[in-house]
């Protein structure tokens, strides 16, 4: 009986000790700063023309973008903290004040001609960003994106393009848009109780062969295709390995400072932490191989090839260092005169990075890795990488 009483008391004491921790986790509050745009505030209209016009039209109907984001958060509230709208001015002077914002990094709108057809491609990339208001330092970042493709038998009008941009933010065809994806990230994110370790894509190389397969809008300005590749890999690792990742900032972050402008006009110049683990990616090649043909059409395999490395910056200590290859199938109908290869290559790149990220997280990719990875010790590399990933959560 005494043994039972001692055990019961010990259990009650242990449970009581956990209560403050649970209350603290549930009591964490994060201020919501709203929709923001990365980079120099003076060039927003040039870099985000359709996103800014969409936002302004929402304001003219008294239904601001921030209200739509808050509605998305209300449908899927965060599990580990409470989001408070506004209150930025009230954070001044606090010892600890955390802020989250949906930051749009890039907007790509392109219309390409294929015979008599016009292909509209829209891609918006952003991130769920968390920063410490007092120190103005980024503490967490989760990349998100939405891609929209449509085909017209003529040049799409400005209004048609704008309506598709609205779908990118609000969702289309049952797929959650940027607003809902931001809310999904918040729902599952956690605030670290101690100083976390950081991952970042720091180096990107794109071979001439890969560059030749890319559409013009990814090559018209220096650094665009490298940023495209870094964002793809960053989002795959963040989403499928479940870790935050410092944004790749070539072109708009100088001296480790990340500028952004919130919709209400507030400008922040946030400090980016130095990465504890540096990721480099080299897109080495692409290959298109026909493997089947019937009267109805032809089947092709679109192959992509990349080398991914993760190491301690300046130390030479390597966690992952291997080349990978991936192939995705596309069927082209015999009646299709013009074939746009890039979407198939894009799917193959996404699948390659997704599978690498899942393997990094310890998810079973054994059959794919056997054929895809060049490193003979890939299993031991991934074991070390998995342990490293846990330190970054």
């Amino acid at each position: 009986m005494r043994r039972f009483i001692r055990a019961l008391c010990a259990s009650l004491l242990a449970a009581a000790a956990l209560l403050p921790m649970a209350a603290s986790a549930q009591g964490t509050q994060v201020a919501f700063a709203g929709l923001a745009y990365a980079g120099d505030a003076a060039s927003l209209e040039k870099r985000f023309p359709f996103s800014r016009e969409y936002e302004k039209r929402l304001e003219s109907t008294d239904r601001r973008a921030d209200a739509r984001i808050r509605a998305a958060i209300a449908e899927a509230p965060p599990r580990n903290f409470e989001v408070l709208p506004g209150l930025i001015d009230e954070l001044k002077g606090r010892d600890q004040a955390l802020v989250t914002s949906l930051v749009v990094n890039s907007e790509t709108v392109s219309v390409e001609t294929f015979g008599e057809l016009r292909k509209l491609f829209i891609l918006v990339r952003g991130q769920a960003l968390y920063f410490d208001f007092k120190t103005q330092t980024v503490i967490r970042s989760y990349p998100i994106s939405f891609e929209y493709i449509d085909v017209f038998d003529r040049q799409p009008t400005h209004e048609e393009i704008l309506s598709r941009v609205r779908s990118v933010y609000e969702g289309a065809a049952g797929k959650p848009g940027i607003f809902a994806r931001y809310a999904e990230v918040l729902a599952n994110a956690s605030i670290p109780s101690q100083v976390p370790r950081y991952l970042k894509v720091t180096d990107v190389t794109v071979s001439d062969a890969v560059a030749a397969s890319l559409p013009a809008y990814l090559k018209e300005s220096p650094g665009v295709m490298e940023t495209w590749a870094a964002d793809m890999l960053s989002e795959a690792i963040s989403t499928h390995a479940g870790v935050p990742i410092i944004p790749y900032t070539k072109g708009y972050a100088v001296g480790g400072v990340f500028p952004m402008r919130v919709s209400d006009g507030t400008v922040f110049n946030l400090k980016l932490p130095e990465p504890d683990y540096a990721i480099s990616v080299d897109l080495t090649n692409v290959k298109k191989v026909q493997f089947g043909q019937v009267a109805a059409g032809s089947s092709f395999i679109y192959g992509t090839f990349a080398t991914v490395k993760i190491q301690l910056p300046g130390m030479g200590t390597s966690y992952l260092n291997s080349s990978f290859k991936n192939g995705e199938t596309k069927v082209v109908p015999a009646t299709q005169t013009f074939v746009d290869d890039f979407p198939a290559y894009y799917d193959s790149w996404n699948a390659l990075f997704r599978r690498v990220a899942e393997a990094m997280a310890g998810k079973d990719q054994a059959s794919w890795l056997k054929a895809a990875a060049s490193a003979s010790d890939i299993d031991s590399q991934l074991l070390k990488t998995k342990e490293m990933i846990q330190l970054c959560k």
Side-chain angles (χ1 to χ4, degrees):
M1 185 66 178
R2 289 179 179 175
R3 185 179 300 174
F4 171 76
I5 293 173
R6 285 198 299 267
L8 179 60
C9 290
S11 299
L12 291 174
L13 287 171
L18 290 173
L19 284 175
M21 297 175 60
S24 175
Q26 293 299 322
T28 301
Q29 295 181 332
V30 179
F32 173 59
L35 181 65
Y37 298 90
D40 178 25
S43 62
L44 291 186
E45 307 300 329
K46 180 180 179 180
R47 292 184 293 116
F48 307 100
F50 286 97
S51 295
R52 290 287 290 148
E53 184 174 355
Y54 162 68
E55 183 185 7
K56 290 175 182 177
R57 291 199 182 188
L58 285 179
E59 291 176 354
S60 68
T61 61
D62 294 325
R63 180 63 169 163
R64 299 179 67 244
D66 288 358
R68 290 184 179 269
I69 299 172
R70 288 197 299 270
I73 295 173
E75 291 184 6
R79 298 183 179 90
N80 299 309
F81 51 85
E82 180 185 6
V83 175
L84 302 177
L87 302 180
I88 295 297
D89 290 337
E90 298 180 17
L91 300 180
K92 297 176 182 177
R94 291 191 185 182
D95 290 335
Q96 183 181 29
L98 301 179
V99 181
T100 181
S101 179
L102 168 54
V103 184
V104 180
N105 292 344
S106 65
E107 169 195 296
T108 301
V109 177
S110 169
V111 180
E112 294 184 281
T113 300
F114 294 90
E116 298 180 354
L117 300 178
R118 304 292 186 272
K119 189 189 81 169
L120 171 64
F121 175 83
I122 301 171
L123 176 63
V124 172
R125 291 192 179 276
Q127 57 189 302
L129 188 74
Y130 299 78
F131 65 94
D132 185 291
F133 186 83
K134 182 178 181 180
T135 64
Q136 298 286 287
T137 302
V138 173
I139 59 171
R140 304 234 111 177
S141 178
Y142 298 85
I144 53 179
S145 68
F146 193 103
E147 170 194 319
Y148 192 105
I149 297 176
D150 206 346
V151 178
F152 297 80
D153 58 3
R154 51 178 170 71
Q155 187 73 13
T157 66
H158 181 85
E159 290 299 319
E160 287 172 330
I161 295 175
L162 190 60
S163 71
R164 273 62 174 181
V165 170
R166 182 177 67 247
S167 296
V168 166
Y169 283 95
E170 299 178 14
K175 295 170 58 179
I178 292 292
F179 294 157
R181 294 184 184 195
Y182 171 69
E184 288 177 0
V185 169
L186 264 60
N188 297 300
S190 60
I191 303 300
S193 58
Q194 56 188 7
V195 178
R197 299 189 185 184
Y198 296 101
L199 273 168
K200 181 181 181 180
V201 176
T202 56
D203 298 286
V204 181
T205 305
V206 180
S207 71
D208 292 341
V210 175
S213 72
L214 301 179
Y217 57 81
L218 289 178
K219 298 182 288 185
E220 58 190 9
S221 299
V224 174
M225 61 183 175
E226 289 83 3
T227 300
W228 166 78
D231 286 345
M232 264 200 308
L233 178 56
S234 295
E235 185 173 3
I237 292 174
S238 179
T239 302
H240 299 286
V243 291
I245 190 164
I246 302 173
Y248 181 79
T249 50
K250 185 176 181 179
Y252 62 80
V254 180
V257 176
F258 178 85
M260 73 176 208
R261 178 188 179 277
V262 184
S263 295
D264 67 2
T266 304
V267 175
F268 293 100
N269 289 297
L270 305 176
K271 291 177 286 187
L272 290 171
E274 290 296 321
D276 298 282
Y277 307 101
I279 306 170
S280 65
V281 57
D282 182 5
L283 308 189
T284 55
N285 204 2
V286 294
K287 188 176 293 185
K288 176 184 177 182
V289 178
Q290 181 175 345
F291 75 95
Q293 184 173 12
V294 294
S298 302
S299 299
F300 296 89
I301 294 178
Y302 286 80
T304 48
F305 304 78
T307 299
V308 180
K309 299 178 183 178
I310 304 178
Q311 57 188 6
L312 292 173
M315 299 291 289
T317 303
S318 178
Y319 291 85
L320 181 66
N321 185 356
S322 179
S323 295
F324 299 92
K325 60 184 178 181
N326 185 65
E328 299 295 318
T329 304
K330 178 178 180 178
V331 178
V332 179
T335 56
Q336 187 172 333
T337 307
F338 297 92
V339 179
D340 181 9
D341 291 331
F342 176 66
Y345 281 130
Y346 182 76
D347 290 342
S348 186
W349 285 121
N350 269 326
L352 188 155
F353 292 140
R354 172 180 57 79
R355 287 166 173 153
V356 170
E358 289 178 346
M360 288 168 55
K363 299 174 184 177
D364 183 21
Q365 286 290 347
S367 59
W368 179 78
L369 286 168
K370 185 176 181 180
S374 66
S376 58
D377 62 339
I378 188 64
D379 290 337
S380 61
Q381 287 189 31
L382 289 171
L383 183 60
K384 290 192 298 182
T385 304
K386 179 184 175 183
E387 294 172 349
M388 178 271 294
I389 287 289
Q390 292 301 318
L391 298 175
C392 299
K393 291 190 175 182

